[in-house]
Amino acid sequence: MSKKRINTALISVYHKQGLEPIVEELRRLGVTIYSTGGTQKYIEGLGASVETVEAQTGYPSILDGRVKTLHPKVFGGILARREEEHLRELGKYDIPELDLVIVDLYPFEDTVANTDDEAQIIEKIDIGGVSLIRAAAKNYKDVVIVPSQKEYETLTTLLREQNGESTLEDRQKLAHRAFAVTSNYDVAIYKHFSSEAMDSDFRASVNKKQELRYGENPHQTGAFYGDFEAMFEQLGGKPISYNNLVDIDAAVGIMREFKDNEPTFAVLKHTNACGIATRDNVLDAWKAALAGDPVSAFGGILISNSTVNLATAEEIHKLFYEVLIAPAFTQDALELLQRKKKRILLRIKDFYTQPQTFKSLLNGVVVHDTDLKVEVSNDLRIVTEHTPTMEEIDDLLFANKVAKHLKSNTITLVRDKQLLGMGCGQTSRVDALRQAITKAKHFDFNLEGAVMASDAFFPFPDCVEIAHEAGIKAVIQPGGSIKDQLSIDACNKNTMAMVMTGTRHFRH
């Protein structure tokens, strides 16, 4: 039969909150409850009768509670198929059938996050609980498994609406959730014990799922796994889409470089910054960022490292955009921005970036350390006769940060901490430079006295020569070409300064 009535239940949980309505329903249905330790005391405190596991097994909880339920009289009742032969064995050894198993594991991940005490961490590796979950899930044809506090409400509904009966579909869904819980738990433990940056095996597990309307395109399904609310508070707008998430990730990545700087605003389109500027106040930063490419800004992602005030909001409100991100909004600014119901407003809580990045590739996964290298003035090696001024060094570092977050091949042109033009995603570095110059001129920027950044070295002097003709006075690049001297000589010939960082910032 696909329907099974719950007559007995084993309960062993860490989190008790949400358990009370379950116990009430089990009492109403006349279900025999088995439990031990703190869970037993909690249930008895609710006025329910409990059969102790110790009385059933003939053994007390031992080894400071490390061994409580690991016994054939417990696991036999869970794993027995409800068939004649198995039921005969249960009777022979006086083992009760267990129809429902409720487990909530020790909080291993929370413990790791909150302490460095290895002894505490080790004690939060649940053994019995994981074993109970796996056993009950394996025998889902006959047993209901509730593997975590997240499923308490599901069980409560089942008990109330189905009067203590479960269908095969109910049990199978809960078994699926059970193996998700245990696999995630095992990955967390595995990662804690990992001592190498790149292990021999790739393991990743993220519990929280957010349904998306679709993937990158409407014909593709999509979902986000992660805790979006830990990083952002959504203050308005439609549900976040796949493309929104990709762009938000890029926006957070670039603004992380400027989060402690003076007011900075960036405008992104398809993960690339088309405008970014730093100014004395957030309104001027917004205006300067938008001026970098007001055409591409349409439908873009906007991000600030500073509070958005009413004056800035009034200017932003004139533009159609997808997402606006800031660490805070003044109340009057928020009220104005919220009038456009579909515009996504996010208060960023943390400019967090994963220390490692991975993606599916071919028939596997490729992993690497996230590019978190940030060059400072001490990293710069001046290789030309002409030395850049302090203002030029500031602009060079600014341009270098922006180039790091654009698709390769990329060139950025900057003056006074404002992106004037950029070329990205080009198959030729010369093409990237020409694109940057064309965009700058299209938006009426004079490039005289500007600086140029490249994400990788110049194999030939052509980029330097083209930059000189456009008015560029200083260049930052990683260096490393066997023909570096050709670009250095071109700079010297044209009284340009060049600094090398020694660090390439490809982005594919």
Side-chain angles (χ1 to χ4, degrees):
M1 292 177 61
S2 65
K3 281 192 174 183
K4 297 281 184 178
R5 181 169 180 80
I6 296 170
N7 295 306
T8 57
L10 172 64
I11 308 177
S12 179
V13 300
Y14 183 86
H15 291 105
K16 314 297 190 294
Q17 186 177 357
L19 197 60
E20 184 174 356
I22 292 174
V23 173
E24 289 176 1
E25 288 302 311
L26 293 176
R27 288 180 66 190
R28 178 181 69 83
L29 295 166
V31 174
T32 301
I33 299 173
Y34 295 87
S35 191
T36 185
T39 306
Q40 173 197 334
K41 292 177 182 177
Y42 175 81
I43 295 171
E44 289 174 336
L46 296 175
S49 298
V50 178
E51 298 285 337
T52 67
V53 170
E54 292 84 350
Q56 183 62 35
T57 63
Y59 280 88
S61 173
I62 62 173
L63 305 178
D64 297 321
R66 282 190 167 195
V67 180
K68 291 181 283 192
T69 57
L70 294 168
H71 195 280
K73 283 208 167 186
V74 174
F75 281 85
I78 297 170
L79 285 165
R81 293 191 295 270
R82 278 30 173 192
E83 299 172 356
E84 184 178 348
E85 185 178 345
H86 278 199
L87 293 174
R88 185 166 53 247
E89 284 192 63
L90 291 184
K92 179 179 178 180
Y93 296 106
D94 193 26
I95 300 174
E97 298 173 35
L98 293 173
D99 305 322
L100 167 65
V101 176
I102 306 173
V103 177
D104 184 64
L105 299 174
Y106 292 157
F108 179 80
E109 289 179 275
D110 289 345
T111 304
V112 170
N114 292 310
T115 183
D116 294 325
D117 187 330
E118 190 68 8
Q120 285 189 46
I121 291 170
I122 295 301
E123 286 308 309
K124 287 299 184 289
I125 298 177
D126 205 316
I127 303 300
V130 171
S131 302
L132 290 170
I133 291 172
R134 291 178 65 86
K138 176 179 179 177
N139 203 25
Y140 71 88
K141 288 187 177 180
D142 295 304
V143 178
V144 176
I145 174 61
V146 176
S148 74
Q149 187 184 31
K150 292 179 181 178
E151 308 303 329
Y152 287 179
E153 188 174 344
T154 299
L155 177 62
T156 302
T157 301
L158 184 150
L159 294 171
R160 284 175 180 165
E161 296 183 359
Q162 296 174 211
N163 210 33
E165 287 189 338
S166 66
T167 65
L168 180 61
E169 183 182 12
D170 294 331
R171 297 190 297 276
Q172 194 166 23
K173 284 182 178 179
L174 286 167
H176 178 254
R177 284 295 309 137
F179 287 118
V181 168
T182 57
S183 62
N184 181 76
Y185 201 76
D186 286 341
V187 169
I189 296 168
Y190 170 83
K191 287 187 171 294
H192 174 70
F193 280 93
S194 174
S195 59
E196 299 178 14
M198 300 290 174
D199 284 325
S200 58
D201 299 293
F202 176 78
R203 297 283 185 275
S205 181
V206 184
N207 262 332
K208 199 166 185 179
K209 178 183 178 182
Q210 179 178 330
E211 296 284 354
L212 303 176
R213 296 195 304 277
Y214 50 81
E216 193 164 11
N217 298 292
H219 65 278
Q220 297 168 271
T221 57
F224 172 68
Y225 294 87
D227 191 356
F228 190 79
E229 289 78 13
M231 287 188 65
F232 301 97
E233 178 186 5
Q234 185 165 353
L235 302 173
K238 60 188 178 182
I240 305 291
S241 72
Y242 177 97
N243 291 329
N244 290 154
L245 286 168
V246 174
D247 284 330
I248 290 166
D249 178 67
V252 172
I254 192 168
M255 193 52 70
R256 182 179 181 274
E257 309 271 3
F258 300 93
K259 67 184 179 70
D260 298 320
N261 290 29
E262 293 175 313
T264 302
F265 233 111
V267 181
L268 290 87
K269 195 70 170 289
H270 297 301
T271 75
N272 293 301
C274 54
I276 183 168
T278 297
R279 291 291 182 264
D280 291 334
N281 61 76
V282 69
L283 175 59
D284 288 345
W286 161 248
K287 289 180 176 178
L290 179 63
D293 188 343
V295 175
S296 296
F298 182 85
I301 308 296
L302 320 178
I303 186 166
S304 170
N305 68 349
S306 304
T307 299
V308 172
N309 55 29
L310 179 60
T312 308
E314 287 173 339
E315 292 299 314
I316 293 172
H317 199 58
K318 300 173 183 177
L319 177 76
F320 169 75
Y321 60 89
E322 280 283 327
V323 183
L324 171 58
I325 308 166
F329 300 84
T330 60
Q331 186 58 39
D332 49 3
L334 186 60
E335 289 172 1
L336 172 64
L337 294 167
Q338 286 175 330
R339 291 178 190 173
K340 293 187 177 180
K341 301 301 182 183
K342 293 185 178 181
R343 305 294 178 264
I344 297 170
L345 303 175
L346 298 176
R347 182 181 71 81
I348 186 166
K349 305 174 187 178
D350 182 15
F351 285 89
Y352 176 76
T353 300
Q354 298 274 7
Q356 287 188 333
T357 305
F358 64 87
K359 65 179 179 179
S360 59
L361 188 149
L362 300 176
N363 63 348
V365 173
V366 65
V367 184
H368 73 161
D369 294 334
T370 303
D371 186 0
L372 300 177
K373 169 71 174 173
V374 179
E375 284 76 29
V376 295
S377 57
N378 289 340
D379 295 319
L380 307 184
R381 180 168 63 93
I382 300 171
V383 295
T384 50
E385 296 168 358
H386 185 66
T387 299
T389 65
M390 291 304 299
E391 290 78 11
E392 286 172 338
I393 287 175
D394 286 344
D395 279 345
L396 288 167
L397 291 172
F398 185 101
N400 191 60
K401 288 179 179 179
V402 178
K404 171 183 167 182
H405 291 274
L406 296 172
K407 299 294 185 184
S408 301
N409 290 309
T410 188
I411 293 288
T412 57
L413 306 177
V414 167
R415 186 180 57 238
D416 298 332
K417 297 180 182 177
Q418 179 188 21
L419 181 65
L420 307 181
M422 65 83 174
C424 67
Q426 300 300 308
T427 54
S428 159
R429 198 158 300 282
V430 170
D431 285 347
L433 174 56
R434 292 194 188 282
Q435 182 187 47
I437 292 171
T438 299
K439 286 178 75 71
K441 289 183 176 179
H442 179 73
F443 295 114
D444 297 324
F445 286 112
N446 181 352
L447 292 175
E448 190 66 35
V451 306
M452 173 174 75
S454 173
D455 61 330
F457 63 64
F458 298 115
F460 304 104
D462 45 7
C463 280
V464 171
E465 292 164 353
I466 295 169
H468 167 68
E469 291 174 4
I472 303 300
K473 296 302 182 185
V475 180
I476 185 169
Q477 58 132 328
S481 169
I482 59 174
K483 297 181 179 180
D484 275 345
Q485 194 59 45
L486 294 178
S487 293
I488 295 171
D489 290 344
C491 282
N492 287 333
K493 178 182 176 181
N494 294 295
T495 321
M496 295 170 66
M498 177 179 283
V499 299
M500 293 185 178
T501 65
T503 303
R504 187 183 72 187
H505 289 297
F506 268 167
R507 190 173 186 87
H508 290 99

